[in-house]
Amino acid sequence: MSLKEQAANAEKIRHLEKNLDLHIQEYVNRKDVIQMVLGQLDQKINHKFKRLLFYTRDVQRFLQKDTTFNIREYEENTQEE
């Protein structure tokens, strides 16, 4: 292998390493953005769930107070059946 071939190969390796570094940085940036968006979505879902829970409890209290309506207690089954 001649000196010119080695120099050309070394330049190709530097170019590939630079491209790899750019792709890795792009991946890291994209991952950070996705994690941030998913975190915001999780917060929004939790907020909506809590509001719905409070509204449901208000309706339950109203129905129990003003009518003979009985609310059944359901057990949450989180295991796969």
Side-chain angles (χ1 to χ4, degrees), residues 51-63:
R51 281 183 49 193
L52 180 62
L53 181 63
F54 291 139
Y55 289 149
T56 305
R57 286 184 179 159
D58 285 343
V59 171
Q60 287 175 349
R61 285 188 202 108
F62 173 78
L63 289 173

Side-chain angles (χ1 to χ4, degrees), residues 10-43:
E11 186 61 36
K12 287 179 185 177
I13 290 172
R14 278 193 288 277
H15 180 70
L16 289 173
E17 286 177 344
K18 182 179 178 185
N19 283 343
L20 179 61
D21 289 341
L22 290 174
H23 285 294
I24 288 172
Q25 186 59 47
E26 184 180 331
Y27 167 78
V28 168
N29 292 343
R30 189 175 295 157
K31 181 187 70 127
D32 290 344
V33 167
I34 289 172
Q35 285 178 334
M36 181 182 68
V37 168
L38 289 176
Q40 290 173 346
L41 183 61
D42 188 49
Q43 287 176 347

